[in-house]
Amino acid sequence: MEVYLDNAATTKPCAEAVAAAVEAMTDKYGNPSSLHRAGLEAQIIMDSARKTVADSLGADSGCIYFTSGATESNNLALRGASAAYGRKRKKIVISAVEHASVEETAADLEKKGFEVTRVSPREDGRYYAADFVNACDDDTCLISMMYVNNETGYIMPVKETFSAVKRRFPDIITHTDCVQAYMKLPIKSGSLCADLISLSAHKIHGVKGVGAIYIKKGVRVIPVVTGGKQEKGIRSGTESVPLITAFGAAVNKLAPTISERYEKVSGLKKYLLDKLGGIEGVTFNSPEDGSPYVVNISAVGKRSEIMLHFLESREIYVSSGSACSKGQQSGVLGQFGIRDKRADSALRISMTAETTETELDIFCEALKEGMEKVRG
Ligand code: PMP
């Protein structure tokens, strides 16, 4: 039996998403910018998906722009907002544990003349809003802070930070990468005090290659991709209607059950930790109050990649830290105080509400066997 526990890397598209994509590809294949009926039909289903995504954030449809995924949304947020607001204010504040699509974009902006401050967690491995506020000043144009860390499940104090930043520096643009939080925690654009929010469909049982950015009304973002003026000129290029409608279908399915699924996955996390507690050499890297969807552990003494392939030989799929970093040692874990041998042996188990206790049993049995059989 295949046991897929790498849902933070990507999820299986739900049947509703697949059906919506197929319908858009077979019946509603017009270009939404075309003025004839086929175009209008495509536009109608695309705008229905836009409304679904907007409603899920408690936002207006006019604030949602579709992109090719969260990497693009994050690029657009950082590059677009810094271009719009950073002519005189040259400072950007980010957390030190951002996904590469924020970190590397910030590093690129640094090369182009911005000063980037990376805020680390304190000694206790936790983040405090005050540290972000103290990192901001009158020369800061943008702050970017993810909601849930993709490697550990740590939940960042986004709401507290953004509201405190806005109180002291109302002109700073606030951006949050909500990829690992969306449809898992209730996210409302208004109460978060976020000007920009990045989303990805394939982490929520949609399809790869589509995402969205929420841009608060009145907030300016200079486009990165220019051309045909689709998405009100914010993101040119013919929209991928099949992927967008699949995104909408996945949100429609998940939005009503955010808290039930959270409860269920919290139960699964507890079950998993109880079982793992009985395996010698296993330590826990995720905070107790982190997102239950992501559990990071170390199989101390066994290199992540070797253990990963041992598990793979039993058709069990987990990740060594972040899938995007392809096995490189994680700077993010180091920020959270997980270093050296513990970082070398880190494994990320990421669940969905469909994960079963039986699957977790299979994983734990195989891990136990791996601890005995695998050579460091
Ligand atoms: N941000 C975070 C926190 C992520 O986990 C990911 C996916 N690994 C991304 C951004 C990038 O998303 P996408 O695959 O849609 O480009």
Side-chain angles (χ1 to χ4, degrees):
M1 183 174 122
E2 196 177 280
V3 176
Y4 184 79
L5 295 171
D6 200 12
N7 291 282
T10 198
T11 55
K12 183 179 173 182
C14 62
E16 291 82 347
V18 174
V22 169
E23 196 207 346
M25 286 189 281
T26 48
D27 292 338
K28 310 272 169 75
Y29 53 81
N31 184 327
S33 298
S34 294
L35 296 177
H36 46 66
R37 197 168 60 92
L40 182 65
E41 280 176 1
Q43 195 199 325
I44 287 170
I45 57 171
M46 182 170 81
D47 284 345
S48 156
R50 197 185 308 279
K51 179 159 176 9
T52 300
V53 174
D55 287 349
S56 74
L57 296 176
D60 195 87
S61 283
C63 299
I64 303 297
Y65 301 82
F66 290 113
T67 64
S68 66
T71 296
E72 187 186 326
S73 299
N74 286 340
N75 267 267
L76 181 55
L78 269 72
R79 294 181 195 280
S82 63
Y85 296 96
R87 286 238 304 205
K88 294 215 177 83
R89 291 183 284 143
K90 287 285 178 202
K91 290 187 182 169
I92 296 172
V93 173
I94 66 172
S95 88
V97 298
E98 293 298 316
H99 184 263
S101 52
V102 167
E103 165 51 39
E104 290 192 18
T105 305
D108 188 46
L109 291 169
E110 210 165 22
K111 282 190 209 133
K112 292 176 173 142
F114 283 89
E115 187 186 311
V116 177
T117 303
R118 295 165 176 83
V119 179
S120 293
R122 287 191 195 169
E123 277 289 293
D124 60 2
R126 302 191 71 82
Y127 270 105
Y128 294 85
D131 296 344
F132 285 95
V133 180
N134 291 337
C136 294
D137 63 19
D138 290 329
D139 292 330
T140 307
C141 62
L142 174 70
I143 178 168
S144 179
M145 184 178 179
M146 72 199 322
Y147 202 111
V148 169
N149 182 266
N150 51 305
E151 296 191 39
T152 65
Y154 184 83
I155 301 173
M156 308 279 279
V158 174
K159 190 173 168 174
E160 296 88 318
T161 303
F162 285 1
S163 53
V165 165
K166 285 280 184 192
R167 240 178 285 129
R168 252 183 79 190
F169 306 101
D171 293 338
I172 294 182
I173 299 299
T174 53
H175 166 247
T176 177
D177 170 352
C178 283
V179 167
Q180 300 290 350
Y182 186 52
M183 289 295 120
K184 297 180 169 73
L185 289 162
I187 292 170
K188 298 293 167 203
S189 53
S191 60
L192 266 189
C193 287
D195 294 318
L196 306 167
I197 299 176
S198 299
L199 306 174
S200 177
H202 73 102
K203 314 282 185 174
I204 63 151
H205 303 281
V207 183
K208 292 156 197 64
V210 66
I213 184 168
Y214 159 86
I215 304 178
K216 190 178 170 180
K217 223 171 235 148
V219 169
R220 283 180 299 123
V221 170
I222 308 289
V224 172
V225 180
T226 50
K229 301 255 182 311
Q230 290 87 349
E231 301 298 293
K232 294 188 274 183
I234 292 293
R235 198 277 190 179
S236 288
T238 304
E239 293 95 341
S240 176
V241 181
L243 303 188
I244 289 169
T245 55
F247 186 11
V251 174
N252 257 332
K253 182 174 184 193
L254 294 188
T257 56
I258 291 176
S259 54
E260 280 133 270
R261 285 182 293 105
Y262 197 87
E263 284 289 301
K264 175 152 190 242
V265 180
S266 296
L268 289 170
K269 176 179 173 182
K270 187 173 176 313
Y271 182 84
L272 176 64
L273 295 189
D274 282 350
K275 287 217 117 186
L276 289 173
I279 304 176
E280 214 180 296
V282 173
T283 59
F284 302 128
N285 302 328
S286 291
E288 237 170 80
D289 58 355
S291 164
Y293 287 85
V294 179
V295 176
N296 197 304
I297 62 167
S298 291
V300 179
K302 314 290 174 190
R303 286 230 323 275
S304 309
E305 255 175 87
I306 296 175
M307 183 60 94
L308 187 146
H309 290 307
F310 173 80
L311 294 169
E312 182 198 10
S313 71
R314 279 149 180 71
E315 293 192 307
I316 299 166
Y317 305 122
V318 298
S319 154
S320 57
S322 155
C324 309
S325 61
K326 281 241 167 167
Q328 282 169 25
Q329 224 210 46
S330 163
V332 168
L333 289 182
Q335 286 290 330
F336 284 116
I338 299 144
R339 298 195 182 91
D340 308 321
K341 285 222 162 78
R342 263 178 82 193
D344 283 343
S345 60
L347 294 173
R348 181 185 68 180
I349 300 115
S350 45
M351 301 182 276
T352 73
E354 273 91 62
T355 302
T356 63
E357 290 184 355
T358 309
E359 288 177 313
L360 298 178
D361 290 343
I362 294 170
F363 164 71
C364 289
E365 272 311 306
L367 185 70
K368 201 166 154 193
E369 195 190 336
M371 290 304 278
E372 286 154 17
K373 287 194 179 154
V374 166
R375 292 235 194 114

